[in-house]
Amino acid sequence: MVNFIWDICNLLRGPYKRNEYRKVILPLTVLRRFDCVLAPTKQAVLEATIQYSNASDSIRHEMLKTAALHSFYNESELDFTKLLNDPNSVAQNLTAYIAGYSQNVREIMERFGFDAHIARMNERNLLFQVLQRFANLDLSPSRIDSAQMGYVFEELIRLGAEQANEEAGEHFTPREVIRLMVGLLLTPEEDLAKPYVVKTVYDPACGSGGMLAEAESFLRRHNQDAQPLLFGQDWNDEAWAVCRSDMLIKGHEGDNIKLGDSFTCDEFTPHSGTHSTFDYMLANPPFGVEWKQQRQFIERERDTQGDTGRFGAGLPRINDGALLFLQHMLHKRQPVAPDGTGGSRIAIVFNGSPLFTGDAGSGESNIRRWIIENDWLEAVVALPDQLFYNTGISTYIWVLTNRKEERRRGKVQLIDGRQFFEKMRRSLGNKRNEISDDQLRELTRIHGSFTDGETRNLTDEDPVTHQPRTRPRVVSKVLANSDFGFRKVTVERPLRLNFAATAERISRIEDERVFVNIATSKRKPGPARDAEIVKGELRQDELRDLLDALAASTDGEVITDRDEFLLRLRLVADGHGVRLSAAERKAVVAALSERDPTAEPCQGTNGPEPDPELRDTETVPLDEDIEEYMAREVLPHVPDAWVDHTKTKVGYEIPFNRLFYVYEPPRPLDDIAADLRTLEAEITSLLAEVTA
C-alpha cells in the first residue's frame, strides 16, 4: 500500500522536487482516509444536514456527529469519486469538499497548508490525475485497520524525511522499539485487568502518534473494556496533523493532541483545563538537537521557579536537549497515595550521551543525580545499533517510576540487549536490524526477573575469523543507586620553588607584565604622560639596581626556601632604600624562581600553597572514604599530596559499556605468525603469476 501511494509521486516529478512530495502525498492520504471512513454514513449525514439546517450551531454539530458515528463529518455532497465527474472544476470542488468538513478536520488540513498545493497542481494540470490515483485507493477500515493505517502514515513520513535528507535527530521510532517500551512500562502493572479501568497516556514529542497507538493497543489486548485516554504534543505541523487525524478516526478526543513546543508552550499544565499529570508517559525525543531557540524561556523558568518548576535540577549542554524532555515528563507524574496507589511510569529513548556526558557538577550530571538519588530510575535497556531508519547509533530505553516495587527500591537494573536482533532481508535507510517478537518477549522477561548476573547464550561475530560464535553473556546487572555516584576530588601538591639572582634569571624581569607596565601611561599624549613614563623608567632602573645588588649579596646562591628568599630580598631592598609594592615583589619572585621538586614547600596563610601545574583530580566512588582512597591510590606515589575538600563535587554517570565489558584475550603469537606466513605464501604465488 505504501509503495502504491508513494508511486503517485511519479506524477509530481518536474513541478515538485523530491523533498516536496510529502507535502502532497501526506494530506491527500489523510483526506482519502477520512473519505473512506465516512463513506458508510455519508447519506445519513446529508439527510441530517437538511433536517437540522435551522438548528443552532452547537445542536447541529452534535446531530451531524451522531449521524456520522464519528467525532467528525462532512456536509458536502462531494466525495473522491464525485470530484472526478467535473475535471474542469476539480480545484474549486476539492476546496469546497474540504470546507465541508467539521472544524476539527479543517484545522488538520490547514496545518498541512494544502490549499497552496491544490492551486499549484491545478496550474500544472496534475490535480485531476493525482486525485484519480487516490480515488482508486481503498483506505476503508474494513480494508486497512487502524494499526495498519498507522504503519502507512509512519512509513510515508519516513520516506518523506528520507527524500528531504533530514538530519539524524529527526527520526521515527520503529514499531518493535515502541512495543518493547510499552511492554517494559505496562507488563508489571497489576490493575490493568480491572473492569473499565481508565489510564492516561502522554507523549510530549508524539510525532505521528505511534507510541500512543501502541500503548492503546497493549491496554485493549489485556482488557477489552479498558478506557485509555491519549494525550500528546508536537511542534511539527505535518506530524501533528497525522496524529490528530488518526486519533479522530479511532474515536479519541482530537483536542487532546496539541500543537506547539512542549517546553515553551506546555499545553498540559494545571491551568490548561486538561490533564497535567499522567499514569504512563513515553517519548523518543530528537537526538543531539540543540535547544538554543528555547534557551531564554527555559533558563527563566529555572531561575524563577527552581525546584517547583521543570528544570530546577539542572540544564544539559545547549547542543542536546534530550534530558529536558525527561525533566518535563518527570514534572507530570501522578503523586503516590499513602496506600501506594497512584504514581506514574515513564519510558524514554535516548542515545548514549545522557548516560555519561558531563563531568561532576555539570547540568547533565546533576540531572542524573536528581533522578537516581530520588530513586526514580528503574532500568536502562541497551538496544542494538542500526535499529532506527535515519541513524545507526546505539540507543537506550530508560524506564522510570515514582512507585518502584519493594524489591527494586534503591536499585537500578541494567539490561544489555545489544545482541537481541535479527538482520533484515532488506534495509530501510539506516535500519538494518530488527528485534523479533520472541526477542521482545525475552527482554521483557529479563526485566521482570530482576536478576543480577543473569546470562543468555548469544551469538555474535568473532572479530578475527568473522564467523558467528555462541557463548554465554551477562545480560542483566542490578546495582545499588550509590554505585552510579562518585566524588570528583581535587588533589593538590605543594608549590616548590628555588630562587637565584643570576644574570639569566634577572633578565626575565624585562618580560614580566607588571615590570613593563611601570613605564607606560594611560594618559592622553602630552607633558603629563611623558612625565609619568619618565618616572616609570626611573623606577625600572631602581628595580634593576636592586636585583644587581641582590645578585652581589647572594653570589649565585640557589635558595630553596621562599620565605628565606623574601627575607634576603627585603634586607637588600631596605639597605638601598627601596620599598617594593606587592605587585613588584610578585614580579621579582616570578622572574627569579624555578620549580624544584627538592625545594621546601612554599607556605601560604593556611598551610602549604598548592601548585596549579601539579593539580590533579581523582574519581572516588560515592560509598568509599576519601582518605582511605588517598592512602591506597595516591599517597604511595606522591606522599605530599592532599585533598582540597572545598572543591569536591558529586557526580553521577551510568558507565554501561564498562559494566558489560567482556575481555577479549589477544591471539597467541604462533597463530598470528602462521597467518602471516600463509598471507606471504599467497602474495608470492600471485606475484609469480604476474611475472611469469
Side-chain angles (χ1 to χ4, degrees):
M1 179 61 70
V2 169
N3 291 337
F4 183 84
I5 295 173
W6 198 253
D7 189 57
I8 298 174
C9 296
N10 291 325
L11 297 172
L12 303 176
R13 287 181 180 175
Y16 280 83
K17 298 177 182 178
R18 292 168 64 90
N19 62 346
E20 295 180 305
Y21 291 167
R22 67 180 183 186
K23 298 180 183 297
V24 172
I25 297 300
L26 270 177
L28 278 176
T29 303
V30 169
L31 200 61
R32 179 57 176 157
R33 176 66 167 177
F34 279 130
D35 188 63
C36 291
V37 168
L38 292 178
T41 58
K42 181 75 173 178
Q43 189 58 39
V45 171
L46 294 178
E47 293 172 0
T49 300
I50 298 172
Q51 181 179 353
Y52 297 101
S53 58
N54 296 323
S56 66
D57 289 343
S58 58
I59 293 176
R60 187 166 173 275
H61 175 65
E62 292 301 322
M63 292 299 102
L64 291 179
K65 286 199 302 182
T66 301
L69 303 180
H70 290 281
S71 60
F72 58 94
Y73 51 85
N74 190 320
E75 302 177 62
S76 171
E77 294 185 1
L78 296 168
D79 57 22
F80 265 65
T81 301
K82 292 180 180 178
L83 284 171
L84 302 177
N85 292 338
D86 188 358
N88 296 325
S89 303
V90 65
Q92 180 181 348
N93 289 340
L94 179 58
T95 301
Y97 170 68
I98 294 174
Y101 273 101
S102 50
Q103 178 65 27
N104 47 11
V105 174
R106 293 202 305 272
E107 288 176 355
I108 291 171
M109 300 309 296
E110 287 169 6
R111 285 297 170 181
F112 278 125
F114 192 54
D115 284 349
H117 295 286
I118 293 175
R120 184 174 172 182
M121 287 188 289
N122 190 55
E123 183 182 342
R124 300 300 183 94
N125 295 319
L126 293 174
L127 184 59
F128 180 83
Q129 298 177 61
V130 172
L131 282 180
Q132 191 175 43
R133 295 286 292 274
F134 271 97
N136 291 328
L137 279 176
D138 182 3
L139 298 183
S140 61
S142 60
R143 169 75 170 81
I144 298 182
D145 62 27
S146 295
Q148 291 172 325
M149 197 66 217
Y151 286 121
V152 170
F153 283 139
E154 284 193 357
E155 186 66 6
L156 289 175
I157 292 174
R158 186 194 70 78
L159 286 170
E162 196 175 77
Q163 297 291 338
N165 195 28
E166 292 183 344
E167 59 183 279
E170 301 295 333
H171 50 74
F172 300 92
T173 316
R175 276 301 170 112
E176 72 264 29
V177 175
I178 300 176
R179 287 198 294 271
L180 178 57
M181 294 173 68
V182 171
L184 295 172
L185 207 61
L186 301 182
T187 299
E189 299 293 86
E190 298 178 353
D191 64 342
L192 297 184
K194 291 182 179 179
Y196 302 101
V197 62
V198 177
K199 293 291 184 180
T200 54
V201 185
Y202 170 64
D203 183 348
C206 63
S208 59
M211 290 195 178
L212 296 175
E214 193 61 42
E216 178 194 22
S217 176
F218 184 99
L219 288 169
R220 294 200 184 280
R221 280 200 309 271
H222 289 77
N223 184 349
Q224 288 291 333
D225 298 323
Q227 299 180 18
L229 302 178
L230 308 181
F231 301 83
Q233 185 165 346
D234 203 280
W235 71 343
N236 180 282
D237 286 352
E238 287 181 358
W240 171 85
V242 170
C243 182
R244 187 162 186 176
S245 63
D246 194 36
M247 293 298 123
L248 286 174
I249 291 169
K250 290 178 179 177
H252 291 289
E253 180 55 61
D255 288 341
N256 289 345
I257 307 301
K258 305 292 186 180
L259 178 65
D261 186 339
S262 291
F263 297 147
T264 61
C265 187
D266 182 10
E267 296 285 356
F268 299 97
T269 66
H271 310 292
S272 62
T274 183
H275 285 73
S276 59
T277 59
F278 305 92
D279 297 306
Y280 306 112
M281 289 172 267
L282 306 97
N284 179 18
F287 301 157
V289 175
E290 66 179 26
W291 47 281
K292 190 178 295 183
Q293 295 179 5
Q294 300 92 344
R295 180 174 190 168
Q296 185 176 1
F297 184 94
I298 289 172
E299 289 181 344
R300 182 168 64 247
E301 179 174 327
R302 175 201 60 186
D303 296 338
T304 56
Q305 299 185 29
D307 292 337
T308 62
R310 294 174 291 177
F311 310 113
L315 299 178
R317 60 195 63 198
I318 198 70
N319 60 2
D320 190 354
L323 279 170
L324 294 174
F325 278 95
L326 181 53
Q327 291 175 276
H328 172 81
M329 296 164 78
L330 286 167
H331 191 68
K332 298 188 178 299
R333 292 163 297 153
Q334 300 268 25
V336 179
D339 62 358
T341 59
S344 301
R345 289 180 61 77
I346 297 171
I348 187 168
V349 180
F350 284 144
N351 61 10
S353 179
L355 291 172
F356 52 79
T357 299
D359 204 355
S362 68
E364 292 94 342
S365 178
N366 287 340
I367 294 169
R368 289 191 292 268
R369 179 182 181 181
W370 173 63
I371 291 170
I372 295 174
E373 288 189 348
N374 280 288
D375 201 20
W376 296 330
L377 183 60
E378 177 176 297
V380 178
V381 182
L383 300 177
D385 60 5
Q386 300 181 29
L387 207 58
F388 285 74
Y389 300 116
N390 287 15
T391 177
I393 62 175
S394 298
T395 50
Y396 301 80
I397 297 174
W398 290 33
V399 181
L400 304 96
T401 182
N402 58 342
R403 50 175 173 83
K404 281 186 177 181
E405 302 172 53
E406 182 65 35
R407 59 176 180 156
R408 291 185 179 269
R409 289 179 185 170
K411 299 176 182 178
V412 176
Q413 183 181 14
L414 304 181
I415 299 173
D416 187 359
R418 289 174 290 187
Q419 297 300 321
F420 286 72
F421 69 90
E422 295 178 352
K423 284 291 181 184
M424 298 174 63
R425 287 179 294 179
R426 178 175 175 270
S427 62
L428 293 172
N430 288 87
K431 182 174 174 59
R432 297 175 178 86
N433 298 329
E434 62 183 354
I435 307 175
S436 69
D437 290 342
D438 288 341
Q439 290 167 333
L440 289 176
R441 286 189 287 269
E442 189 66 13
L443 287 170
T444 305
R445 277 195 295 268
I446 293 170
H447 172 257
S449 68
F450 191 60
T451 302
D452 183 34
E454 187 168 355
T455 62
R456 290 290 188 278
N457 290 323
L458 299 176
T459 302
D460 61 359
E461 182 181 282
D462 188 295
V464 177
T465 64
H466 301 291
Q467 297 299 314
R469 62 179 180 182
T470 301
R471 54 181 180 162
R473 295 285 295 270
V474 174
V475 295
S476 173
K477 287 181 178 288
V478 177
L479 294 91
N481 289 344
S482 59
D483 291 338
F484 301 101
F486 63 91
R487 281 164 295 189
K488 185 177 181 181
V489 299
T490 300
V491 179
E492 303 282 14
R493 293 180 62 191
L495 178 65
R496 298 175 185 269
L497 301 172
N498 68 37
F499 302 84
T502 62
E504 187 271 330
R505 296 195 189 188
I506 289 174
S507 66
R508 299 177 191 168
I509 195 71
E510 304 293 338
D511 298 324
E512 291 292 328
R513 183 179 297 275
V514 171
F515 184 83
V516 172
N517 290 341
I518 291 174
T520 60
S521 174
K522 295 182 180 180
R523 295 176 181 270
K524 294 181 179 180
R529 184 175 187 274
D530 295 340
E532 187 172 334
I533 292 175
V534 170
K535 181 180 178 182
E537 290 173 344
L538 292 174
R539 179 61 176 174
Q540 286 179 330
D541 289 339
E542 286 182 357
L543 295 178
R544 292 188 185 102
D545 292 341
L546 172 64
L547 295 182
D548 289 340
L550 180 64
S553 69
T554 58
D555 192 24
E557 178 186 356
V558 177
I559 303 170
T560 58
D561 187 316
R562 187 175 65 178
D563 290 342
E564 180 184 347
F565 169 77
L566 291 175
L567 176 61
R568 303 273 284 273
L569 176 64
R570 188 173 70 248
L571 291 174
V572 174
D574 290 346
H576 285 71
V578 178
R579 187 177 182 86
L580 295 173
S581 69
E584 291 170 340
R585 186 166 56 251
K586 186 176 181 180
V588 170
V589 167
L592 302 187
S593 65
E594 289 183 354
R595 280 180 167 76
D596 182 355
T598 64
E600 294 296 320
C602 298
Q603 298 297 318
T605 55
N606 297 316
E609 181 179 331
D611 185 346
E613 291 190 6
L614 297 179
R615 181 172 294 143
D616 202 356
T617 59
E618 291 285 333
T619 299
V620 182
L622 201 60
D623 54 1
E624 183 170 354
D625 182 76
I626 293 176
E627 300 306 326
E628 291 180 1
Y629 177 91
M630 287 288 293
R632 185 183 71 252
E633 301 290 343
V634 178
L635 296 181
H637 309 286
V638 281
D640 58 356
W642 75 92
V643 173
D644 183 350
H645 291 282
T646 63
K647 297 177 181 177
T648 298
K649 296 179 180 179
V650 175
Y652 276 78
E653 65 177 5
I654 304 172
F656 204 100
N657 289 336
R658 174 163 59 83
L659 290 169
F660 284 95
Y661 172 74
V662 177
Y663 173 69
E664 292 281 355
R667 296 177 66 205
L669 290 177
D670 291 343
D671 292 351
I672 297 174
D675 287 347
L676 290 174
R677 286 192 294 271
T678 301
L679 290 172
E680 287 174 356
E682 291 178 359
I683 293 170
T684 302
S685 175
L686 291 172
L687 288 173
E689 292 179 10
V690 173
T691 57

